[in-house]
């Protein structure tokens, strides 16, 4: 499967993996059409209906692991009544551009959990950035690391990553130690994130699950607000 940093123009698909036809002749929906199509996605009774990943690991592909993996960082309201799950790459310019707008929507709403799935698909530096961010969580600095790397406007290099995290208050000696001590756990998180993204058929970053719905690509603030509203309505049905 080819992977890239996308702009949200791929054809929509529902959560069960059934491809939905675009409203513009089947050539792939516009963002407005994609928003309309999101409602086709749904949970199966008792849990998600997921495509089977190449790893064929049923333990990874459960609702609990996708929505509430205890090792995956959460922002927003941890007790929120709707979850947004984001798969992102620190070297994806669309992820960076979207970050402040999505955070504003979540802040304004007040009842959204944002589950942050690091999905480093854009090269070795992306993998390094994701591993470093996850290592920072052992000193309770994941969010500082995440925000520092998402806040830049240019492509990251490893030396720049170290500068950014040090400036954000991350203990770099502790970070190096945690990277070594928790390497297996960190790699396990990234493996699960990747398997789940592939199971959903995501082709690039950023990609999202909002409540029950699959959202491959970038939406505007107004569109995210609408999807959140639709997800809440669907949850009640």
């Amino acid at each position: 499967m080819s992977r890239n940093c996308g702009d949200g123009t791929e054809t929509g698909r529902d959560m069960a993996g059934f491809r939905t036809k675009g409203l513009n002749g089947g050539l792939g929906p516009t963002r407005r059409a994609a928003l309309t199509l999101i409602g086709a996605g749904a949970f199966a009774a008792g849990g998600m209906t997921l495509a089977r990943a190449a790893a064929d690991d049923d333990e990874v592909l459960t609702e609990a692991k996708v929505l509430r993996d205890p090792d995956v960082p959460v922002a927003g309201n941890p007790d929120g009544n709707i979850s947004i799950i984001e798969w992102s790459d620190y070297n994806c310019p669309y992820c960076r551009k979207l970050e402040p707008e999505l955070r504003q929507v979540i802040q304004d709403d007040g009842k959204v959990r944002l589950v942050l799935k690091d999905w480093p698909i854009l090269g070795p530096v992306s993998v390094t950035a994701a591993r470093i961010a996850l290592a920072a969580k052992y000193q309770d600095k994941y969010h500082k690391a995440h925000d520092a790397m998402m806040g830049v406007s240019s492509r990251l290099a490893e030396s720049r990553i170290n500068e950014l995290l040090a400036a954000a208050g991350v203990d770099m000696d502790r970070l190096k130690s945690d990277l070594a001590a928790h390497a297996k756990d960190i790699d396990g998180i990234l493996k699960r994130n990747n398997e789940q993204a592939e199971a959903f058929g995501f082709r690039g970053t950023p990609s999202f699950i909002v409540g029950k719905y699959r959202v491959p690509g970038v939406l505007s603030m107004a569109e995210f607000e609408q999807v959140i509203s639709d997800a809440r309505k669907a949850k009640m049905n």
Side-chain angles (χ1 to χ4, degrees):
M1 178 187 296
S2 62
R3 299 166 174 173
N4 53 58
C5 183
D7 62 358
T9 56
E10 75 169 86
T11 301
R13 223 187 236 192
D14 66 19
M15 288 275 289
F18 301 110
R19 184 167 296 281
T20 52
K21 188 175 181 181
L23 302 184
N24 55 348
L27 299 176
T30 63
R31 291 180 186 178
R32 180 65 248 175
L35 182 63
T36 302
L37 294 171
I38 289 166
F43 284 88
M48 289 183 182
T49 300
L50 300 172
R52 188 174 296 275
D56 196 25
D57 190 341
D58 291 335
E59 179 61 26
V60 169
L61 300 179
T62 65
E63 182 175 347
K65 286 295 185 182
V66 173
L67 291 179
R68 299 186 182 274
D69 186 329
D71 296 323
V72 172
V74 174
N77 183 345
D79 300 316
N81 56 20
I82 285 292
S83 294
I84 295 179
I85 309 166
E86 177 183 15
W87 283 262
S88 64
D89 185 306
Y90 291 109
N91 261 327
C92 170
Y94 296 101
C95 299
R96 294 175 188 154
K97 181 179 179 181
L98 178 68
E99 179 85 0
E101 297 182 355
L102 177 58
R103 292 302 182 102
Q104 187 64 55
V105 169
I106 290 170
Q107 180 179 321
D108 292 346
D109 183 283
K111 296 181 180 179
V112 175
R113 296 174 67 245
L114 176 60
V115 183
L116 298 165
K117 303 264 188 179
D118 290 288
W119 190 28
I121 59 175
L122 300 176
V125 174
S126 293
V127 175
T128 296
R131 296 187 78 251
I132 285 175
L134 290 169
K137 78 186 180 75
Y138 294 100
Q139 55 178 287
D140 295 324
K141 296 289 178 65
Y142 173 86
H143 294 290
K144 287 186 178 294
H146 176 92
D147 293 349
M149 289 189 284
M150 281 295 183
V152 299
S153 58
S154 59
R155 192 168 180 83
L156 292 170
E158 188 167 347
S159 59
R160 179 62 172 147
I161 293 171
N162 292 334
E163 291 174 359
L164 289 167
L165 268 61
V170 176
D171 182 332
M172 300 307 288
D173 290 333
R174 168 75 186 275
L175 183 73
K176 183 177 179 180
S177 174
D178 285 334
L179 269 171
H182 300 285
K184 183 176 180 180
D185 292 333
I186 291 168
D187 290 341
I189 294 168
L190 295 179
K191 180 174 182 287
R192 293 197 297 275
N193 292 352
N194 179 68
E195 289 174 350
Q196 291 164 8
E198 289 186 345
F200 282 119
F202 292 140
R203 297 179 181 178
T205 54
S207 291
F208 302 89
I209 299 297
V210 181
K212 297 180 178 181
Y213 304 137
R214 177 185 181 277
V215 186
V218 177
L219 297 180
S220 68
M221 290 178 69
E223 288 169 336
F224 266 116
E225 289 169 353
Q226 183 62 56
V227 179
I228 292 167
S229 176
D230 290 346
R232 283 201 173 101
K233 292 176 184 176
K235 187 176 180 179
M236 295 174 65
N237 294 332

